[in-house]
Amino acid sequence: MADNLKAFMVKNRAIKEPTKYPASVDFVDEKGEPMEWVLRPVPPETNDQLVGDSMIADFDAKGNPIMKFKESLYRKNLIVESVIFPNLNNAELQDFYKVKEPGDLVNAMLNINEYKQLVDKIQEINGFKVNIDKKVKEAKN
């Protein structure tokens, strides 16, 4: 059994490179091509922080405090952590859209469908939508 643990001791584990993704056809370069956003996977420790930041205090029927996970806040925070370009913290871009927070900037820049598709893409690059059977086949090849 101990010999099998060597399979988990991978020194050169694949590092995911940033992914380019055209989040909207509204933003084009000088050639008229959609501008590509650059997205990165979020490390597990950062994701743990995002989950913690997405917990909100609420109260049950008896007035006892309970913590609830606010998924919409988590998605917004995951987007902010995953998007490298455009720089969502850029003051000039935020001023143009009349917002002060990077998460609000994404809401201002994208329509509902584009936002949902961006969330789907970010979830994909972070491994939330992984088909384990497909990964097993890839590992065997």
Side-chain angles (χ1 to χ4, degrees):
M1 184 83 149
D3 292 336
N4 292 340
L5 292 178
K6 290 182 181 179
F8 295 100
M9 299 176 192
V10 180
K11 288 183 182 179
N12 297 320
R13 189 168 180 206
I15 297 172
K16 286 191 171 186
E17 294 296 320
T19 301
K20 292 183 178 181
Y21 175 73
S24 175
V25 296
D26 291 338
F27 310 115
V28 295
D29 63 16
E30 54 279 344
K31 296 178 184 174
E33 297 292 323
M35 290 291 295
E36 290 184 320
W37 292 36
V38 181
L39 313 172
R40 67 171 173 210
V42 172
E45 53 276 0
T46 301
N47 186 62
D48 290 345
Q49 182 66 46
L50 296 178
V51 170
D53 291 347
S54 301
M55 301 299 288
I56 57 168
D58 201 358
F59 297 93
D60 66 14
K62 295 180 181 178
N64 299 316
I66 56 172
M67 296 301 290
K68 288 186 174 181
F69 179 70
K70 189 170 180 183
E71 188 175 347
S72 61
L73 179 58
Y74 172 76
R75 281 193 307 265
K76 185 183 285 190
N77 291 339
L78 183 61
I79 289 171
V80 170
E81 284 296 323
S82 294
V83 174
I84 299 171
F85 181 81
N87 179 353
L88 301 176
N89 291 299
N90 180 279
E92 184 179 0
L93 198 54
Q94 289 178 0
D95 288 347
F96 179 83
Y97 284 96
K98 297 177 176 50
V99 298
K100 296 293 179 202
E101 299 291 327
D104 294 337
L105 180 57
V106 175
N107 286 340
M109 293 176 73
L110 302 176
N111 66 39
I112 296 169
N113 185 49
E114 292 167 339
Y115 186 92
K116 181 196 175 304
Q117 290 179 357
L118 178 63
V119 168
D120 288 347
K121 186 65 176 179
I122 288 172
Q123 288 178 334
E124 177 187 315
I125 67 169
N126 280 288
F128 288 113
K129 297 184 175 215
V130 174
N131 180 330
I132 194 66
D133 294 331
K134 183 179 177 184
K135 287 197 69 100
V136 169
K137 277 185 181 180
E138 288 174 1
K140 288 181 180 179
N141 291 333

